[in-house]
Amino acid sequence: MEQKTYYFVGIKGTGMAALARVLHDQGNAVLGSDIEKETFTQAPLLKAGIKILPFDPANLKPGMVVVQGNAFDDNHPEIKRAHELGLTVLSYPEAVENEVTNHTSIGIAGAHGKTSTTALLSHVLAAVEPTSFLIGDGVGKGNDNDRFFVFEADEYRDHFLAYHPDYAIMTNIDFDHPDYFNDIDDVRDSFATYGKQVKRAIFAWGDDPNLRQLNVDVPVYYYGTNPTDDFRAENIQRTPAGSTYDAYFRDEKLGTFTIHLYGEHSVLNSLAVLAVAYMEHIDMAEIKKELANFTGVKRRFSETDVADATIIDDYAHHPQEIKATIDAARQKYPDRQIITVFQPHTYSRLAAYLEGFAKSLSRADKTFVTPIFGSIRENAGNVSSADLEQRIPGSEGIDMDSMDKLLQFHNAVVVFMGAGDIEKYEDKYKELLNN
């Protein structure tokens, strides 16, 4: 493949950073620009030798291919300069689509479970066959001669409509992103459009009524735990060490598989991985080994032990994700108190899912709710953290000045959940425990 020089506008974004690493690994020259504030994606970019510059139109040089981050419009000074120089400017989804068309590609879509499933499939395939991958938590890897390209296909603002993969995994359809989609029908229509762009087959969760309505031009194989599913998990045993199950494709037993992951959703994610591997004729013994040694994803059920507490960090910010995270914590720690600290993410999101959040968080033994992580783009509106607290029996508010409320719990599992800056509460709690 011809080597190029790629310039990323907004290189620290999670998807952008991952794609920059893929293109760099393939032997291209890669650099980019962003704000000075440090992000978790920054160190891996610098470690790979990818230069990060402050925004400046003078950074653009003839011959570069410019990748435009989703957060930047055509009025950005660097993008304007790129057009003045006559450079090729690709949107982030267009740049990903280039990778999609050059490999046997698998795009993972769904309101929940995308990142975990993408990471699991990437881990398993990469251990068996040369594989490039692009994960939504900022992780990307590639080389020139890869057979597979595994990537996260995000439905937000219909970004996934840029992609035409060989296979698609669809974990679920839910009304997410109320700032973009009007209703569930709107979301389902987008998934159907994406599904019509898939070239070979779709693997979809069988319990999702919206996915059961998919009308597409390729075979749809459903995975789940029911007799009506094509790929099935039977005899599931969930213990504090993980889950073990027998996998079937219709009447054919594929084997007995173990994952050291927690929650029912982890079994489903691993079934989707098995389905792809089966269709690509990959040895099930290899798959079995790699499923068993996968340990998880950053900010998805990440655990730390401090003093007598087990602290779990999770990106969950939708009622279904919260339910799944608490379910996973109960499986791994059946005899311990589960305490949740939840940070609502934007006023519009809290208003849209108020009842759902309350129902899911009520599954914990005790819930604390932080102030809302507001967006500068929206007004406070008519909803507050107190509205959520009122709906959860025994819950309380908590903020940076009252984190010592958590010190009353001993030998507990404390789960911090949210998509804003929930880590600052977590760090404060760790500091209190250490002192």
Side-chain angles (χ1 to χ4, degrees):
M1 222 182 290
E2 183 199 345
Q3 307 309 306
K4 298 175 180 173
T5 298
Y6 286 92
Y7 184 90
F8 281 68
V9 180
I11 195 166
K12 293 186 192 177
T14 48
M16 292 281 277
L19 180 60
R21 287 166 68 184
V22 170
L23 294 172
H24 173 268
D25 288 349
Q26 290 172 352
N28 298 289
V30 178
L31 70 164
S33 56
D34 216 315
I35 56 172
E36 281 186 31
K37 184 185 174 198
E38 184 152 347
T39 65
F40 73 88
T41 58
Q42 189 168 332
L45 288 170
L46 295 173
K47 188 178 175 190
I50 296 170
K51 198 180 281 186
I52 304 172
L53 306 166
F55 291 122
D56 184 348
N59 294 337
L60 281 299
K61 301 284 186 285
M64 287 179 167
V65 177
V66 177
V67 182
Q68 181 174 352
N70 292 331
F72 302 92
D73 62 22
D74 289 345
N75 291 320
H76 187 275
E78 288 189 333
I79 301 298
K80 277 172 130 167
R81 181 63 180 149
H83 286 300
E84 284 167 13
L85 290 171
L87 304 181
T88 299
V89 178
L90 302 173
S91 68
Y92 169 77
E94 285 169 343
V96 173
E97 173 70 352
N98 284 348
E99 294 301 305
V100 169
T101 53
N102 285 327
H103 300 82
T104 297
S105 52
I106 307 104
I108 294 87
H112 325 297
K114 278 191 297 290
T115 299
S116 300
T117 307
T118 307
L120 183 58
L121 181 60
S122 302
H123 165 85
V124 168
L125 290 184
V128 181
E129 292 277 349
T131 300
S132 288
F133 53 84
L134 188 68
I135 306 174
D137 63 351
V139 175
K141 186 177 184 305
N143 69 52
D144 241 359
N145 307 307
D146 288 331
R147 173 179 171 188
F148 294 114
F149 178 57
V150 180
F151 69 103
E152 206 165 310
D154 191 358
E155 79 278 14
Y156 184 54
R157 298 195 173 277
D158 281 338
H159 290 150
F160 65 175
L161 298 189
Y163 310 136
H164 299 74
D166 294 289
Y167 298 106
I169 292 173
M170 296 186 181
T171 58
N172 43 57
I173 293 177
D174 207 338
F175 178 46
D176 204 351
H177 309 301
D179 58 333
Y180 180 73
F181 293 111
N182 297 319
D183 50 32
I184 189 68
D185 296 332
D186 200 12
V187 183
R188 193 169 54 235
D189 287 348
S190 281
F191 273 82
T193 304
Y194 173 55
K196 285 195 163 79
Q197 297 173 184
V198 175
K199 294 172 189 161
R200 290 165 69 179
I202 294 171
F203 307 98
W205 179 39
D207 274 7
D208 190 313
N210 292 303
L211 287 173
R212 283 281 179 186
Q213 291 178 43
L214 272 183
N215 179 15
V216 293
D217 309 321
V218 294
V220 180
Y221 298 97
Y222 289 98
Y223 63 86
T225 55
N226 296 312
T228 50
D229 293 317
D230 300 291
F231 288 91
R232 293 186 314 287
E234 294 187 2
N235 306 319
I236 300 169
Q237 294 171 346
R238 290 174 56 189
T239 72
S243 298
T244 298
Y245 62 89
D246 296 330
Y248 289 84
F249 173 58
R250 297 180 179 156
D251 296 331
E252 179 188 354
K253 185 174 179 180
L254 305 181
T256 301
F257 297 86
T258 297
I259 50 170
H260 297 292
L261 301 168
Y262 301 91
E264 185 187 8
H265 64 289
S266 293
V267 171
L268 296 171
N269 295 348
S270 65
L271 259 184
V273 169
L274 280 176
V276 172
Y278 179 85
M279 285 299 163
E280 280 294 309
H281 309 291
I282 296 172
D283 181 6
M284 284 292 141
E286 295 271 9
I287 300 301
K288 185 181 208 166
K289 186 176 102 186
E290 296 309 327
L291 280 177
N293 65 31
F294 180 74
T295 53
V297 189
K298 181 180 167 63
R299 293 234 56 219
R300 301 299 193 281
F301 209 78
S302 298
E303 298 178 65
T304 318
D305 289 314
V306 182
D308 67 349
T310 294
I311 299 167
I312 293 172
D313 173 53
D314 199 285
Y315 185 67
H317 59 293
H318 183 281
Q320 288 301 327
E321 295 165 356
I322 291 165
K323 179 184 169 189
T325 300
I326 294 172
D327 172 50
R330 289 254 182 249
Q331 177 183 346
K332 188 164 188 186
Y333 300 105
D335 304 324
R336 293 170 69 181
Q337 250 188 321
I338 307 294
I339 313 299
T340 55
V341 181
F342 176 63
Q343 182 186 47
H345 187 250
T346 73
Y347 296 94
S348 56
R349 199 174 180 83
L350 180 57
Y353 303 122
L354 191 60
E355 300 302 334
F357 281 140
K359 190 175 174 188
S360 293
L361 288 163
S362 296
R363 292 168 170 264
D365 296 308
K366 172 84 177 179
T367 293
F368 292 91
V369 183
T370 76
I372 297 170
F373 180 80
S375 164
I376 52 173
R377 292 172 300 186
E378 62 172 6
N379 299 320
N382 301 320
V383 70
S384 70
S385 294
D387 294 317
L388 181 56
E389 290 160 39
Q390 286 163 13
R391 289 165 168 77
I392 304 169
S395 68
E396 289 179 48
I398 198 167
D399 58 23
M400 288 295 284
D401 296 327
S402 58
M403 290 301 292
D404 54 358
K405 286 182 181 182
L406 297 177
L407 297 177
Q408 66 187 287
F409 303 101
H410 297 285
N411 196 35
V413 177
V414 184
V415 186
F416 288 83
M417 289 182 281
D421 57 2
I422 185 74
E423 291 104 324
K424 72 181 185 186
Y425 297 98
E426 207 175 310
D427 291 343
K428 177 75 173 177
Y429 177 48
K430 287 174 183 173
E431 188 186 308
L432 290 169
L433 286 171
N434 283 321
N435 292 336

